[in-house]
Amino acid sequence: MSTSETMPRAAMHPWLSELLQRIEQGHLPQAHAAGGVLSDAELYDLFDSQLSSRLLDLQSRLMQAAGQSFYTIGSAGHEGNAAVAKALRVTDPAFLHYRSGAFFIQRAKQAPGSTPLYDMLLSFAAAADEPIAGGRHKVLGSLHLNVPPQTSTIASHVPKAMGTAFALGLSKRLAHQGTWPHDAIAVCSFGDASANHSTALGAINSASWAAYQQIPMPLLLVCEDNGLGISTHTPRGWIQQQLSQRPALKYFSADGSNLAETYLVAQAAADYVRNKRKPAILHLRTVRLFGHAGADAEVAYRSKQEIALDQERDPLLHSCAAILSRGLLDPHQLGAFIQTQQQRIARIAVQASQRPKLNSAAEVMASIVPPARSQALPKPASAEQRQALFQWDKHNVGKPQHLAKQINWALHDLMAQYSNIVMCGEDIAKKGGVYHVTQHLMEAFGPNRVLNTVLDEQSILGLAIGMAQQGFIAMPEIQFLAYVHNAEDQIRGEAATLSFFSSGQYTNPMVIRIAGLAYQRGFGGHFHNDNSFAVFRDIPGIILLCPSHGRDGALLMRQAVQLAAREQRVVIMLEPIALYMTRDLHQVGDNGWLSDYPDPQHPVPELGEPAVFGDGLELAIISYGNGYYLSRQAEAKLAAAGHSVRVLDLRCLVPLHVDKIIAALDGCKKVLIVDECRSRGSLSEELFTALHEHQPGSFHIKRLNAADSFIPLGAAAYTVLPSCTDIVTQALAMLEQHHD
């Protein structure tokens, strides 16, 4: 009896039927010489992982045809990565390419009780009880397998893998017990097309840059090279040329269709990275079968000959040949085993497809904000410790200070209180930052906690994400607001989504400091006077704080760290450059914008609660940052003209806490929103709408914004920005209007 007749072939994918026929007829490639690298049991075990991954891919396509699966980018042709998983430890954090199904299944075998087949089928079906993303996306991820989920298709996960590798070495230097052990290595897989992306290239460069200076960087990069980026061919030899000649990055190469070779080389690469604490690249030559995804018709851009040649390089064919050549199974037994596995996965798929789905916005959004941690915050430094800590600046201690100084002092206090805060960014160490906000911190806390980085915002933020996942409170600095656009996806697509796609199991506690906004006396033009932070306003889950003066600078910095520590939040601290050194409010020498430094025990404001100056009822001016500073000047002029006005400083810009803002208005019906950002896409649009939606008809509201323009050089900069005079003029016009 032939193997094709031993079991029913209902809902069998054509590829599987063809495989069974080839096994029956002996039409398989010549088996690779094993060389004693893998035992019989090891070969069989790896083949089982490869086969399971392939059958899952096929099952997903069958489920899609039945309307039960929503993701068909599979691992077919890449199943040699099971041998890479075997060469690693389950405690090595793995940031996986989406074609790493066999890797994931093989890793799960290192953790008894794992159910990778059921879990992956649940993810195909978008089931609400899928254990990592909870039905929010098809991801390869697991907390107990140390696989943080990735949704990247363009290697945007490579920077955080680099950051994690750095954090592993940093943990050892600082005796920090992080998420992963000190002897772990970080592994990151990506495709050949993604190897051309600036995100990957920047991270690889940063890893090499660190290793070149003998900084530990235990990172194993696995480039799974199938020669295609959807329909775009990768030039033959390009990946080897690109990745084999980088300084301080050791190059390994293996044929992904040969399990024994892949395992041998992967083991050598992993041992090199683990023992030397240096990065390595494993160039794994693979093929891509069945197109990019379920709807991709390869014949539209590849010749039939090309497709047929790749089919003969199918790693499953080579593994079947190896199984038969060793006599582990005969053709009949091998075919029966394959069909048994196919039927088993089909049965599991029926169960997975029937599981409940997310059916409300509340369920979907439940993991945008991570669950708060219950641990107590560390105590601030003692009076004696603080006296020693601030000895370097004793001539200023006890005197009112400007924003830059108070943020600097707050950072000193916070780094003394939280031993796991690590700062990173360009020029922040000895130089103390462009504006000296990080002055003396490296001298106080050492070069392992205050790190100069390469000039690459993607790498800076990726480094921070990696450190955060290793249990640090990361505090990266982006030198200017305009520079963040080079790397905004590290915040939008990586840091902010991790809790969402892991059901709150993985988090990125961090405080991203960004110097920005305008009013810098015309210096630097647009790139140093960027007055738009719209990019942050549509990212679910993040918090954006913005102080306008020194006291709030200190309090909000403490609040940001508390939110990162207790709630595992991604917090952005937008620091107005023009107000860093501002001392005076109304006239030169009045010191009206200086303030006393709040004691470390002073409570932070309630999140979203605006600061209020004055109690006037005629008009309320709502603003933040430079706009608040100008509004305070305008308030004095309006008071001199006999008008009673109050001024609100929002402080928390994302999310807006509208109920708290309305409470702070306290009877004011006329509201002027002063927003230093452009009229289109600014916070004022959201605030205007929110006030009307929460209390329709209760307020008469006007907006005063910057023009929809970039910021030019010189005095011309002030022609497109709101001024104190503009605020006074608009306020008087509103005050003179009568409304029922």
Side-chain angles (χ1 to χ4, degrees):
M1 182 181 295
S2 69
T3 53
S4 61
E5 296 171 344
T6 57
M7 297 188 68
R9 291 189 177 181
M12 182 177 288
H13 192 278
W15 174 87
L16 187 54
S17 297
E18 182 181 344
L19 174 65
L20 294 172
Q21 290 175 3
R22 292 188 65 159
I23 292 171
E24 291 174 3
Q25 298 166 6
H27 292 167
L28 296 174
Q30 184 176 354
H32 294 295
V37 174
L38 294 170
S39 69
D40 289 350
E42 289 173 326
L43 173 62
Y44 190 85
D45 181 58
L46 288 172
F47 170 67
D48 173 72
S49 296
Q50 291 184 300
L51 177 64
S52 295
S53 178
R54 179 67 59 88
L55 293 174
L56 284 171
D57 285 349
L58 301 181
Q59 188 65 44
S60 180
R61 292 177 180 233
L62 295 172
M63 291 169 67
Q64 183 195 41
Q68 298 171 342
S69 177
F70 307 94
Y71 196 94
T72 55
I73 297 179
S75 304
H78 287 242
E79 290 92 351
N81 55 37
V84 180
K86 180 174 173 55
L88 298 165
R89 300 173 183 172
V90 72
T91 51
D92 294 330
F95 301 84
L96 298 180
H97 184 229
Y98 51 53
R99 300 198 192 278
S100 301
F103 181 110
F104 186 78
I105 294 167
Q106 185 65 33
R107 170 160 285 201
K109 292 177 178 178
Q110 300 182 50
S114 299
T115 55
L117 304 184
Y118 184 51
D119 296 346
M120 292 174 71
L121 285 163
L122 287 172
S123 73
F124 296 162
D129 54 355
E130 186 269 323
I132 186 67
R136 296 174 181 88
H137 202 286
K138 183 268 179 184
V139 294
L140 295 170
S142 168
L143 186 65
H144 77 281
L145 296 179
N146 297 298
V147 181
Q150 316 304 317
T151 62
S152 167
T153 60
I154 55 168
S156 61
H157 59 302
V158 184
K160 63 182 177 183
M162 176 275 298
T164 298
F166 179 88
L168 291 170
L170 184 65
S171 295
K172 185 174 182 180
R173 296 194 295 278
L174 293 175
H176 167 74
Q177 295 301 315
T179 308
W180 298 295
H182 294 164
D183 64 349
I185 68 174
V187 60
C188 178
S189 59
F190 53 94
D192 52 291
S194 293
N196 297 306
H197 199 277
S198 64
T199 312
L201 293 172
I204 294 170
N205 178 73
S206 294
S208 298
W209 183 83
Y212 184 78
Q213 301 173 78
Q214 305 303 313
I215 299 171
M217 181 60 71
L219 175 64
L220 178 59
L221 297 160
V222 182
C223 181
E224 299 184 14
D225 178 8
N226 61 33
L228 287 163
I230 305 182
S231 67
T232 302
H233 287 72
T234 298
R236 187 179 300 275
W238 171 248
I239 293 299
Q240 180 176 355
Q241 285 292 313
Q242 184 196 152
L243 298 179
S244 66
Q245 301 179 29
R246 293 182 174 272
L249 180 68
K250 192 170 180 63
Y251 176 82
F252 296 84
S253 179
D255 178 359
S257 68
N258 186 334
L259 277 177
E261 179 184 315
T262 299
Y263 176 63
L264 182 66
V265 176
Q267 193 173 50
D271 288 346
Y272 171 84
V273 174
R274 197 178 308 280
N275 296 327
K276 300 292 187 181
R277 314 308 286 172
K278 293 182 178 181
I281 180 78
L282 172 56
H283 178 196
L284 192 63
R285 299 185 302 279
T286 66
V287 293
R288 190 191 73 190
L289 305 176
F290 313 143
H292 173 69
D296 180 32
E298 285 190 298
V299 293
Y301 55 86
R302 299 185 75 195
S303 69
K304 292 182 179 179
Q305 183 182 16
E306 283 181 300
I307 296 171
L309 286 173
D310 273 359
Q311 288 172 344
E312 292 306 307
R313 294 177 56 208
D314 184 340
L316 265 295
L317 294 181
H318 287 272
S319 295
C320 285
I323 292 286
L324 294 174
S325 71
R326 289 203 190 185
L328 301 182
L329 298 173
D330 63 29
H332 174 81
Q333 292 169 326
L334 180 57
F337 172 70
I338 292 171
Q339 290 187 82
T340 298
Q341 290 296 87
Q342 185 259 341
Q343 294 295 329
R344 177 187 176 212
I345 286 174
R347 290 194 299 272
I348 299 173
V350 171
Q351 298 175 15
S353 65
Q354 294 174 349
R355 297 302 301 161
K357 309 297 190 290
L358 297 170
N359 56 27
S360 71
E363 288 181 334
V364 171
M365 298 168 64
S367 63
I368 289 176
V369 175
R373 300 321 196 240
S374 59
Q375 74 268 22
L377 300 177
K379 294 181 179 180
S382 67
E384 294 77 14
Q385 291 170 325
R386 294 189 68 244
Q387 184 177 8
L389 182 63
F390 288 96
Q391 185 66 24
W392 70 281
D393 207 13
K394 62 181 180 181
H395 61 287
N396 283 317
V397 172
K399 301 175 184 176
Q401 299 296 330
H402 52 56
L403 176 63
K405 178 66 71 175
Q406 296 226 34
I407 291 177
N408 175 268
W409 284 357
L411 292 173
H412 275 81
D413 269 327
L414 287 165
M415 292 192 75
Q417 180 180 0
Y418 297 83
S419 62
N420 61 335
I421 289 180
V422 177
M423 301 184 66
C424 60
E426 188 196 3
D427 296 321
I428 70 167
K430 283 189 175 182
K431 180 178 174 61
V434 175
Y435 299 101
H436 306 294
V437 178
T438 58
Q439 182 184 15
H440 187 261
L441 287 167
M442 192 198 77
E443 289 80 0
F445 299 102
N448 285 317
R449 295 188 63 196
V450 185
L451 315 169
N452 275 343
T453 67
V454 293
L455 176 55
D456 176 25
E457 286 76 21
Q458 292 181 123
S459 291
I460 292 170
L461 292 172
L463 174 62
I465 297 171
M467 291 194 298
Q469 290 194 44
Q470 179 60 357
F472 292 102
I473 297 176
M475 193 175 285
E477 176 184 289
I478 302 299
Q479 206 165 73
F480 293 99
L481 177 59
Y483 295 178
V484 81
H485 302 298
N486 298 320
E488 61 190 48
D489 191 55
Q490 288 297 301
I491 301 174
R492 182 196 66 82
E494 295 295 340
T497 62
L498 186 60
S499 176
F500 181 70
F501 288 126
S502 69
S503 301
Q505 297 171 75
Y506 283 99
T507 57
N508 298 290
M510 64 175 64
V511 178
I512 305 170
R513 293 184 48 250
I514 305 177
L517 301 176
Y519 294 96
Q520 296 180 63
R521 301 176 184 176
F523 171 77
H526 166 67
F527 283 101
H528 296 276
N529 284 264
D530 189 352
N531 65 331
S532 173
F533 53 87
V535 63
F536 303 129
R537 293 181 47 239
D538 69 343
I539 303 177
I542 71 164
I543 294 172
L544 175 63
L545 305 177
C546 180
S548 61
H549 59 84
R551 183 175 179 82
D552 272 354
L555 291 175
L556 294 184
M557 187 62 73
R558 292 172 190 167
Q559 184 175 51
V561 172
Q562 287 183 17
L563 288 165
R566 182 175 284 143
E567 299 185 18
Q568 304 291 289
R569 301 297 291 272
V570 176
V571 186
I572 297 171
M573 186 78 163
L574 181 58
E575 302 168 8
I577 298 170
L579 297 176
Y580 268 150
M581 310 297 178
T582 298
R583 303 176 64 87
D584 304 321
L585 178 56
H586 300 297
Q587 58 191 15
V588 176
D590 69 7
N591 290 332
W593 211 243
L594 301 180
S595 56
D596 292 328
Y597 179 67
D599 184 86
Q601 301 284 359
H602 193 284
V604 301
E606 187 176 343
L607 182 63
E609 181 181 14
V612 182
F613 179 84
D615 56 4
L617 294 177
E618 290 184 73
L619 174 71
I621 302 175
I622 305 177
S623 193
Y624 60 89
N626 295 292
Y628 177 69
Y629 173 77
L630 296 172
S631 296
R632 286 286 303 276
Q633 292 179 331
E635 184 277 334
K637 297 181 183 297
L638 293 169
H643 294 289
S644 178
V645 174
R646 73 178 58 191
V647 187
L648 275 61
D649 185 359
L650 290 174
R651 299 191 292 193
C652 180
L653 309 185
V654 177
L656 285 177
H657 292 68
V658 181
D659 291 343
K660 292 184 174 68
I661 295 169
I662 290 176
L665 291 174
D666 191 23
C668 288
K669 299 300 181 183
K670 294 182 178 182
V671 177
L672 173 60
I673 302 171
V674 177
D675 191 335
E676 63 186 280
C677 292
R678 300 188 280 272
S679 59
R680 187 174 65 245
S682 68
L683 188 70
S684 64
E685 291 179 323
E686 179 184 357
L687 183 56
F688 191 109
T689 302
L691 290 175
H692 273 300
E693 287 179 342
H694 278 66
Q695 291 193 7
S698 296
F699 302 106
H700 172 56
I701 309 172
K702 292 289 185 181
R703 294 193 300 152
L704 179 61
N705 292 88
D708 285 331
S709 170
F710 299 109
I711 307 297
L713 282 173
Y718 288 89
T719 66
V720 296
L721 293 168
S723 67
C724 174
T725 299
D726 294 335
I727 298 172
V728 171
T729 300
Q730 182 69 72
L732 288 173
M734 293 181 69
L735 288 165
E736 291 169 1
Q737 289 179 328
H738 296 285
H739 296 273
D740 295 333

